[in-house]
Amino acid sequence: MYNFTFHRPTTVRQAAGLLARNPDGKLLAGGHSLLPVMKQRLAQPSAIVDLSLVEGLSGVELKGRSVSIGAMTRHADVANSQVLKDVMPGLASVPGSIGDPQVRNRGTIGGSIANNDPNADYPAACLGLGATIITNKRRIAADDFFTGMFSTALEEGEIIVRVSFPVAKKAAYEKFKHPASGFALVGVFVSKRGPDIRVAVTGAGSNGVFRVTSFEEALKKRFAAKSIEGMTIPATGMNSDIHASPEYRAHLVAVLARRALAKANA
Amino acid sequence: MSATGIGAPVRRKEDFRFITGQGQYTDDVTRPGETRAVFVRSPHAHANIKSIDVSAAKTMPGVIDVLTGAQLATDKIGNLICGWMIHSKDGSPMKMAAHPALAATKVNCVGDAVAVVIAETVAQGKDAAEKVKVDYEVLPAVVDPAKAQAKDAPQIHPDIANNTIYQWHLGEKKDVDAAFAAAKHVTKLDIVNNRLVPNAMEPRAALADYDAGTDNLTLWNTSQNPHVARLVISAFIGMAPEHKLRVIAPDVGGGFGSKIFIYPEEVVCLWASRKVKRPVKWTSDRSEAFLTDAHGRDHVTHAELALDANGKILALRAKTIANLGAYMSTFSSSVPTYLYATLLSGQYNIPSIYCEVDAVYTNTAPVDAYRGAGRPEATFVVERLVEVAARQMGIDPADLRRRNFITAFPHQTPVIMAYDGGDYNASLKKAMEMADVKGFAKRKRDAARNGKLRGLGYSTYIEACGIAPSQAVGSLGAGVGLWESAEVRVNPTGSVEVLTGSHAHGQGHETTFAQLVSERLGIPIENVSIVHGDTDKVQFGMGTYGSRSGAVGMSAIVKALDKIEIKAKKVAAFMLEAAEGDIEFKDGKFTVAGTDKSAAFGDVALNAYIAHKFTGAELEPGLKETSFYDPTNFTFPAGCHICELDVDIETGKVDIVNWTAVDDFGTIINPMIVEGQVHGGIAQGVGQALMEGAYYDANGQLVTGSMMDYTMPRAHDLPSFHVGLTETKSPSNPLGMKGCGEAGAIASPAAVINAITDAIGTENIAMPATASAVWTALQKLQAPKAA
Ligand SMILES: Cc1cc2nc3c(=O)[nH]c(=O)nc-3n(C[C@H](O)[C@H](O)[C@H](O)COP(=O)(O)OP(=O)(O)OC[C@H]3O[C@@H](n4cnc5c(N)ncnc54)[C@H](O)[C@@H]3O)c2cc1C
């Protein structure tokens, strides 16, 4: 790790100010993505702006027909939220599948989304539910937020404050774990909220999280595994590495989508 | 059986300090004025070093010195060596390339150290290391052992043609060829035994401290055999005379073989400490460990089995290419030869066997012994061949095994080993009962209803442990003897210290060795402490590997205890005013035969030291005895593992649903510890079969260089194991022990792959059989449907 200055603001406004004064500074949330790359000397931020003392950034709240999750809410707290388990257990299961207890007790939803690791779980949930990412500057629809591997619509110095998920009547996540890292080799989030049907995929695409519109179309008739029986997606555009071929990833998308649908309807 | 004696499941004495974070590992040791070493490592797999410029690095804050391979050569620090001589078929000696601790002119694998920064802190050392400018001329690399001998492969070491270290063979080719010509059935298999990264929980570390006042050097390091380290570092590397070098291996957090070897880093720390006249510490981080710890396995084999019409095995032949990496590590040459081909007879009566092994250099990390060392590779070859032959011939795999089991002992195999005892039918039978093989067909049908393909696989393995009679291994090329030493010191108060040349790094010696002493001397286990891992305390020892600490290390303790008893009886005779021959020793008490006169062990110990009851002319005072024990044979643990698993047809994911292990380890000192060793071994074997694999890309970059890409088995990947024992005593050591440390890792890969191939109906699956690999194999079979 290289040297850096360490700041602990107590308001979002102070944090934004610190970022403005330190152009290559970085926000620190749970540190479970940022610190490993700093320790490996792959990142060299001159300043760290720690969000842990900023008030009002954590908690899970039901606000009318949506669930609002503060950016600094730890994975474990989302997974264990009774409010969320009651209204949308499918979303609560997402952070429950992340890493191990240490990771879940430190990592945050804001950090995960801002990082947009192509194998991360939360991006699938955000896109699969049509969430809104609320920053200190604006509201961004999930469809516009995730712009590719490790890249998002966030501007320099923009801070995620919370994420708002519309409550879907049916929602489920099915994850096939990467054998080594435990991230999603492929993860599929499905949801149905009135006429809005979404199938979002993480882990598989070489450009990060994406929606499977062909499946979504087919599911309009009936939101059930049967409706996409036998359907596949092309292997082009899928990731390829020692762990899985593009064909295998494409195949898993269809398998996991069917399993998620069965779960959502259970 | 006493509550703390032989056979009792005593809780491990050492665990309190380990699980409360109070272990003292090398990195926990600190010396006043300690500095830190940070290595500058090659990012290239193969390159000439045109120049190294350390001037900028030397001026960085906190830097004490920056040292290079050129200085190492000037100071006449010797190269690292491989200590086991193997001769090729044509009689020529193996070709051992120079392995300097810091590369001066050429690097041969990613992670090869080219310079070292000695700094006040690690962070300062890392900052300075980035300023060392190395000008490399990058060369093409070869990483695949099957390609290393090709005409157009880059030559790694000057004068070593075709990257070939040796072309060795064992057995009678003529006999084997004749048997194959006459065979009714021949089974052929191409097998890759995947390369593994050991990943001990504690990374390697070294702390060297030079005392200018006495000219003594002390090295704390993560070693499984500190005396061997001292011997090699003084006799071959020339660091210091043996009596001026003290090596201490304190608590060591796992080794699995990878900490047997002498590595560049400890040599450099010693050398640097003398140069900067301050202690120098290096602790590997996990990334360095992936790159520089000696890896395991990495064989490419073609194997064939000849059988008659009744499924009787007539002969076996195998041709193996073994990847030894960029340099020959300390015992690397022995692993694919005498620890491998000598076990190709398995549990079977095979009249003739012929094995050829080519060992090659590649631009990868050195490969050496890793849990099982050679024997897992042999077991995998034999147990896959037997299973596939049975399937091809339409014979039940258990039945084909039974038809070929060795049942009369001693049994001389055609590949050196003389098995001294065992009962292979007994372990197979017991395992089949425990695994409910009878109910398998029904379970398979039930699984099919849930979209699962169920399979069952056997592995009836054998291994050679307790390495080994010194004369025997000497005749096979070993540079050392493989006896073990023990010293038993009885204190005046009757408590006992046992100094052993074995070394514990997870095995529980502090408990099992104390159980032996408790039983023999009839004293509480709390009154016994086990001392190991310090060359200044223990006179000499060969260390721990090859499941030898029980069979060899404890045998030495037995011999020393025998001497203690003889001496103590003499003392007791004076105390009780009886003839020495009339003294009996039992349950911690010396009695005069036929009388009620007795003396407790503690009183005798006290009298041995106060020496009031005898004169110096009659008896030497004191109660301390030493023994060096050389075994008379290897030991041959054997058993049967049965793996039952489900393959998810849709995803290819394998779930092990049942694991049965029935092992014959001879005498068991502590069944709980033995069971733990079996569990850990199976976990590592299942890891090899389903998850682990070190991959280098064509440029020699390690793709699986971290836990993000290298899959280690986790607890939830494994079922609850059903572990059972059968027992035939080893006739080759006084306790009848055989060894249990490696069995799990040796037996399990074949059981897993035999079960997967049984489930999916194709033999065409390589390790690690990841979900993706199994799914791909299933696709090639055109998507079989569950029945
Ligand atoms: C061993 C391990 C296993 C893991 N397994 C999984 C897994 O299975 N699935 C999965 O999805 N993830 C996994 N992760 C990642 C984990 O979920 C991380 O915690 C998460 O991706 C990042 O969250 P964080 O709070 O730790 O963010 P940090 O590491 O602190 O920050 C990550 C990035 O986000 C930025 N950032 C943080 N907060 C904000 C904010 N409010 N606004 C704007 N930018 C911000 C930071 O500046 C940084 O660039 C794993 C991590 C580890 C170490």
Side-chain angles (χ1 to χ4, degrees):
Chain A
M1 209 179 271
Y2 297 101
N3 285 340
F4 52 83
T5 58
F6 186 70
H7 308 275
R8 266 191 159 169
T10 52
T11 65
V12 172
R13 184 185 271 270
Q14 282 174 10
L18 283 161
L19 282 181
R21 286 194 294 281
N22 296 281
D24 63 350
K26 276 274 184 199
L27 293 172
L28 176 69
H32 270 58
S33 289
L34 182 57
L35 295 187
V37 289
M38 289 174 65
K39 282 167 80 177
Q40 290 175 74
R41 299 187 155 224
L42 297 171
Q44 191 174 4
S46 62
I48 287 293
V49 180
D50 176 15
L51 292 176
S52 63
L53 296 185
V54 176
E55 271 175 46
L57 285 186
S58 26
V60 182
E61 260 181 276
L62 183 62
K63 290 187 173 168
R65 293 305 298 148
S66 53
V67 176
S68 168
I69 303 179
M72 283 295 284
T73 316
R74 313 275 177 203
H75 303 330
D77 294 332
V78 179
N80 296 330
S81 158
Q82 198 53 51
V83 181
L84 186 58
K85 282 201 257 185
D86 288 344
V87 299
M88 216 169 17
L91 176 57
S93 77
V94 173
S97 77
I98 293 177
D100 48 41
Q102 288 89 332
V103 175
R104 291 195 289 276
N105 283 321
R106 293 302 301 167
T108 67
I109 185 169
S112 174
I113 291 170
N115 198 48
N116 193 19
D117 186 302
N119 295 87
D121 297 292
Y122 265 129
C126 291
L127 194 61
L129 279 167
T132 304
I133 288 89
I134 295 141
T135 73
N136 59 338
K137 295 184 178 159
R138 57 190 170 137
R139 302 167 66 88
I140 311 170
D143 287 290
D144 303 323
F145 184 83
F146 302 103
T147 55
M149 270 206 193
F150 295 107
S151 96
T152 67
L154 288 174
E155 288 162 5
E156 285 297 299
E158 193 168 5
I159 301 171
I160 300 173
V161 179
R162 62 197 154 86
V163 186
S164 173
F165 294 90
V167 175
K169 210 162 149 211
K170 291 182 173 180
Y173 183 56
E174 192 69 22
K175 172 178 182 175
F176 193 89
K177 285 193 176 181
H178 183 292
S181 73
F183 277 69
L185 187 72
V186 178
V188 180
F189 197 99
V190 299
S191 76
K192 174 175 165 57
R193 187 169 56 96
D196 191 14
I197 286 172
R198 286 172 174 260
V199 178
V201 176
T202 188
S206 51
N207 217 15
V209 61
F210 66 94
R211 288 172 68 177
V212 187
T213 46
S214 59
F215 287 7
E216 292 175 355
E217 274 308 311
L219 289 168
K220 280 187 179 152
K221 265 183 246 119
R222 203 159 72 85
F223 187 75
K226 265 253 170 324
S227 307
I228 58 164
E229 193 70 55
M231 287 183 74
T232 54
I233 66 163
T236 45
M238 296 291 122
N239 268 327
S240 176
D241 53 37
I242 57 164
H243 301 290
S245 63
E247 291 73 24
Y248 184 57
R249 282 189 164 94
H251 167 77
L252 281 183
V253 169
V255 172
L256 299 180
R258 288 197 300 273
R259 291 183 180 181
L261 285 162
K263 219 193 246 178
N265 286 318
Chain B
M1 180 175 78
S2 82
T4 58
I6 290 174
V10 179
R11 287 227 190 146
R12 301 193 347 154
K13 291 173 79 173
E14 47 272 78
D15 281 352
F16 180 77
R17 75 173 189 276
F18 292 151
I19 63 181
T20 55
Q22 297 179 83
Q24 280 292 306
Y25 298 88
T26 297
D27 189 60
D28 295 319
V29 180
T30 48
R31 302 292 296 163
E34 179 175 292
T35 67
R36 305 296 294 239
V38 172
F39 287 86
V40 179
R41 298 186 182 278
S42 171
H44 307 294
H46 198 195
N48 287 320
I49 301 171
K50 288 163 71 180
S51 65
I52 302 180
D53 179 358
V54 300
S55 52
K58 276 193 171 171
T59 64
M60 292 289 287
V63 171
I64 296 146
D65 207 345
V66 183
L67 305 169
T68 64
Q71 286 159 283
L72 193 79
T74 309
D75 287 358
K76 301 211 162 37
I77 300 299
N79 289 325
L80 292 143
I81 54 130
C82 174
W84 194 307
M85 173 52 74
I86 298 293
H87 287 90
S88 285
K89 291 174 225 184
D90 65 7
S92 62
M94 67 186 190
K95 300 192 171 63
M96 180 162 62
H99 185 191
L102 291 174
T105 56
K106 188 161 176 281
V107 290
N108 296 309
C109 62
V110 171
D112 229 354
V114 296
V116 64
V117 176
I118 309 299
E120 298 291 346
T121 69
V122 172
Q124 288 172 328
K126 285 190 176 178
D127 286 344
E130 286 178 3
K131 301 283 187 232
V132 173
K133 287 197 211 75
V134 187
D135 190 3
Y136 292 103
E137 178 199 358
V138 180
L139 304 168
V142 60
V143 299
D144 181 349
K147 295 183 181 149
Q149 294 170 298
K151 286 216 166 47
D152 57 351
Q155 180 164 328
I156 298 170
H157 296 288
D159 307 330
I160 300 181
N162 305 319
N163 298 316
T164 302
I165 299 166
Y166 52 73
Q167 294 189 293
W168 174 88
H169 68 164
L170 184 66
E172 290 301 330
K173 185 172 189 316
K174 226 171 42 292
D175 298 353
V176 169
D177 290 348
F180 269 86
K184 252 267 150 355
H185 182 87
V186 174
T187 290
K188 300 179 180 187
L189 279 181
D190 285 300
I191 290 169
V192 173
N193 205 289
N194 44 327
R195 177 187 270 252
L196 304 176
V197 181
N199 271 315
M201 202 182 293
E202 180 206 19
R204 289 190 293 117
L207 168 61
D209 191 358
Y210 174 65
D211 182 335
T214 59
D215 197 33
N216 284 345
L217 270 167
T218 305
L219 172 70
W220 287 262
N221 75 335
T222 46
S223 175
Q224 298 179 217
N225 43 349
H227 285 91
V228 176
R230 183 179 67 159
L231 178 64
V232 170
I233 292 170
S234 60
F236 294 92
I237 292 165
M239 187 66 60
E242 221 174 340
H243 66 290
K244 296 298 226 177
L245 174 62
R246 175 181 183 187
V247 178
I248 303 169
D251 284 335
V252 173
F256 312 112
S258 71
K259 292 172 182 168
I260 297 172
F261 323 120
I262 291 74
Y263 284 94
E265 291 85 0
E266 55 231 38
V267 172
V268 169
C269 286
L270 284 164
W271 171 61
S273 176
R274 180 175 266 157
K275 279 193 108 63
V276 304
K277 299 203 162 45
R278 285 173 63 179
V280 176
K281 180 191 277 181
W282 169 76
T283 302
S284 172
D285 58 32
R286 189 58 65 184
S287 307
E288 278 182 303
F290 269 99
L291 289 176
T292 66
D293 289 359
H295 292 178
R297 319 278 191 258
D298 210 348
H299 284 195
V300 178
T301 297
H302 177 77
E304 301 183 356
L305 192 70
L307 303 100
D308 73 10
N310 298 321
K312 271 297 286 168
I313 302 171
L314 303 172
L316 182 153
R317 64 185 168 205
K319 165 84 205 254
T320 294
I321 303 173
N323 190 353
L324 296 193
Y327 304 100
M328 292 184 76
S329 173
T330 317
F331 289 110
S332 57
S333 55
S334 64
V335 178
T337 49
Y338 291 110
L339 298 181
Y340 164 67
T342 52
L343 272 303
L344 285 174
S345 196
Q347 298 186 351
Y348 313 108
N349 198 339
I350 306 182
S352 44
I353 296 175
Y354 180 66
C355 181
E356 288 177 285
V357 179
D358 285 9
V360 298
Y361 287 115
T362 60
N363 297 112
T364 62
V367 178
D368 205 325
Y370 168 64
R371 201 169 193 171
R375 290 149 292 162
E377 295 91 315
T379 298
F380 194 74
V381 168
V382 176
E383 288 305 297
R384 284 291 292 138
L385 280 173
V386 168
E387 190 85 18
V388 174
R391 289 174 191 165
Q392 288 173 344
M393 297 183 76
I395 302 173
D396 175 74
D399 197 32
L400 187 125
R401 286 177 167 84
R402 268 187 230 108
R403 289 183 204 180
N404 289 285
F405 277 157
I406 295 162
T407 50
F409 297 93
H411 174 87
Q412 178 62 54
T413 71
V415 277
I416 299 176
M417 292 296 175
Y419 299 170
D420 51 16
D423 187 345
Y424 310 139
N425 275 305
S427 45
L428 175 64
K429 179 160 181 283
K430 184 165 177 181
M432 288 178 75
E433 284 163 12
M434 282 171 62
D436 185 22
V437 172
K438 281 210 184 84
F440 175 71
K442 176 173 185 307
R443 295 195 295 278
K444 189 174 172 73
R445 285 192 301 276
D446 293 346
R449 277 194 282 279
N450 297 319
K452 302 283 167 68
L453 296 170
R454 183 157 290 206
L456 183 124
Y458 297 89
S459 176
T460 49
Y461 75 97
I462 191 161
E463 50 167 332
C465 292
I467 184 167
S470 300
Q471 212 173 43
V473 295
S475 74
L476 303 179
V480 288
L482 286 169
W483 44 264
E484 196 45 86
S485 79
E487 181 176 320
V488 175
R489 291 183 188 161
V490 180
N491 297 317
T493 55
S495 65
V496 173
E497 282 130 29
V498 176
L499 286 75
T500 170
S502 297
H503 184 275
H505 29 278
Q507 294 87 345
H509 294 172
E510 288 169 44
T511 307
T512 47
F513 289 14
Q515 283 180 254
L516 166 63
V517 177
S518 166
E519 166 119 359
R520 265 301 292 273
L521 300 183
I523 59 175
I525 194 168
E526 299 77 40
N527 292 4
V528 184
S529 66
I530 307 297
V531 179
H532 62 84
D534 183 342
T535 58
D536 262 15
K537 292 182 180 164
V538 178
Q539 194 210 326
F540 206 96
M542 298 312 300
T544 287
Y545 38 82
S547 307
R548 68 192 303 276
S549 303
V552 191
M554 286 179 89
S555 297
I557 299 174
V558 169
K559 296 285 179 196
L561 286 168
D562 288 347
K563 294 183 189 172
I564 289 283
E565 187 177 324
I566 292 168
K567 173 80 182 280
K569 276 180 175 164
K570 290 193 192 340
V571 177
F574 283 106
M575 288 167 67
L576 300 170
E577 294 169 341
E580 196 189 321
D582 290 340
I583 304 290
E584 287 170 351
F585 181 55
K586 202 166 165 270
D587 298 332
K589 238 164 67 183
F590 294 85
T591 43
V592 182
T595 74
D596 59 358
K597 285 206 288 182
S598 73
F601 180 75
D603 291 336
V604 174
L606 184 65
N607 272 280
Y609 284 93
I610 59 176
H612 293 170
K613 302 276 188 205
F614 49 86
T615 67
E618 287 166 324
L619 189 65
E620 268 183 38
L623 194 51
K624 183 190 105 169
E625 297 290 350
T626 300
S627 171
F628 284 65
Y629 173 78
D630 205 335
T632 56
N633 192 356
F634 288 84
T635 63
F636 298 96
C640 174
H641 286 217
I642 300 179
C643 170
E644 186 169 327
L645 50 74
D646 276 339
V647 175
D648 180 337
I649 298 175
E650 283 191 315
T651 64
K653 190 169 185 309
V654 172
D655 265 314
I656 296 175
V657 293
N658 198 359
W659 194 285
T660 309
V662 174
D663 300 291
D664 178 358
F665 297 137
T667 304
I668 304 286
I669 306 295
N670 183 324
M672 184 192 68
I673 288 179
V674 167
E675 197 169 317
Q677 289 286 317
V678 172
H679 285 203
I682 297 170
Q684 279 177 313
V686 170
Q688 163 158 39
L690 293 181
M691 300 160 225
E692 299 186 48
Y695 293 97
Y696 286 90
D697 70 13
N699 298 321
Q701 295 295 329
L702 182 61
V703 179
T704 49
S706 81
M707 298 290 183
M708 294 297 280
D709 284 298
Y710 186 88
T711 312
M712 292 291 285
R714 296 166 162 95
H716 67 242
D717 294 319
L718 302 158
S720 230
F721 305 120
H722 301 285
V723 178
L725 294 166
T726 57
E727 188 178 303
T728 61
K729 304 235 186 253
S730 167
S732 306
N733 60 69
L735 290 167
M737 297 177 71
K738 295 187 178 180
C740 66
E742 295 157 296
I746 291 169
S748 49
V752 175
I753 299 301
N754 284 340
I756 294 177
T757 50
D758 179 49
I760 67 177
T762 169
E763 303 302 340
N764 211 350
I765 186 97
M767 298 192 288
T770 60
S772 142
V774 173
W775 179 79
T776 307
L778 281 169
Q779 295 318 293
K780 288 193 187 136
L781 283 178
Q782 300 162 339
K785 287 271 173 298

